[in-house]
Amino acid sequence: MMESFNVQEKIRAWAAGELPAEESKQLLGDAQNSPELREEMHFSRKLNQVLQNRDMMEVGAILAGIAATEPLPAPSDPPATGGSTGSWVLGTILVAALALGGFFIGRQQGWWFPTPTHLASDYLQPMENVINTKESGMTVDDLRLGMEAYDRQDYPKAIERLSRFYQKGQDPNAGLFLGVAYLLEKQATKALPILSNAANKTQGPEQEAARWYLALAQLQTGAKDDAQQTLRLIPADGLFGAKAQNLLQDLE
């Protein structure tokens, strides 16, 4: 019970943007292997948006959704001037309750769904650095310094250095990390051709990784059909197989 409570608190903090970076990274990693956790996180994010942006248009839309299933009672006469402020407090509580109720009804009726772009963001995590460089030289130094920047999550600097190295020979392994860095900087359009090249010129685990990140780039650019086709190319028993199958289910 206590563990469940802690998870709910972390989800609430994540949705509000209050969860520390390391814990947020861990939570997103856990969500990749748990459809139930992903659903709770999507719900909490939407709920947080509702509670932070309850202007009249939003409340009206929520009330309209509720009215479609359960008519609201007729409003009572307004209080006389100088009357108790208790009715105003009650009204505020009622609006909040209706907003929450509308959201729960919307969840049950399927009104709230994460977009493919949101799904791509939820699944996106940096790939572990598996490139070791001991050689020296101007070109190799760009690779080394680029991967060092990648490791410390300085993705703009990683892009700068890895781009220089990649332009020399379009090495697919370096391109994979360059593409991931572009994705993490929300530059999916630039990541697409680089990840596509990596997917076509690698084999085994490297190819699976390239296809996984390529699918995320396709989702971020709105190419849902292409992303689904790419995800189906990832072996179910491969390194990214479980994630690919979960994402395919989320996209249906």
Side-chain angles (χ1 to χ4, degrees), residues 27-148:
L27 185 64
L28 289 171
D30 293 341
Q32 290 187 4
N33 299 314
S34 173
E36 294 80 8
L37 179 56
R38 288 199 303 276
E39 182 183 355
E40 289 297 324
M41 291 172 68
H42 291 313
F43 167 73
S44 294
R45 180 171 56 192
K46 290 293 185 181
L47 177 58
N48 188 67
Q49 291 172 353
V50 169
L51 295 178
Q52 288 183 347
N53 301 281
R54 284 179 303 187
D55 55 21
M56 291 305 296
M57 291 184 64
E58 188 170 11
V59 171
I62 293 173
L63 294 181
I66 298 173
T69 57
E70 185 67 29
L72 294 174
S76 59
D77 293 334
T81 303
S84 171
T85 59
S87 59
W88 292 102
V89 175
L90 179 60
T92 301
I93 296 174
L94 177 60
V95 168
L98 288 174
L100 290 171
F103 196 89
F104 279 105
I105 292 174
R107 187 188 188 193
Q108 292 175 349
Q109 298 297 324
W111 297 346
W112 312 95
F113 286 98
T115 66
T117 301
H118 285 151
L119 283 173
S121 298
D122 289 346
Y123 275 91
L124 178 60
Q125 284 189 315
M127 183 177 176
E128 183 179 356
N129 179 3
V130 293
I131 294 182
N132 296 317
T133 58
K134 297 181 180 179
E135 300 85 355
S136 62
M138 185 176 297
T139 301
V140 178
D141 281 346
D142 281 329
L143 175 61
R144 177 178 58 82
L145 293 172
M147 293 309 300
E148 288 178 358

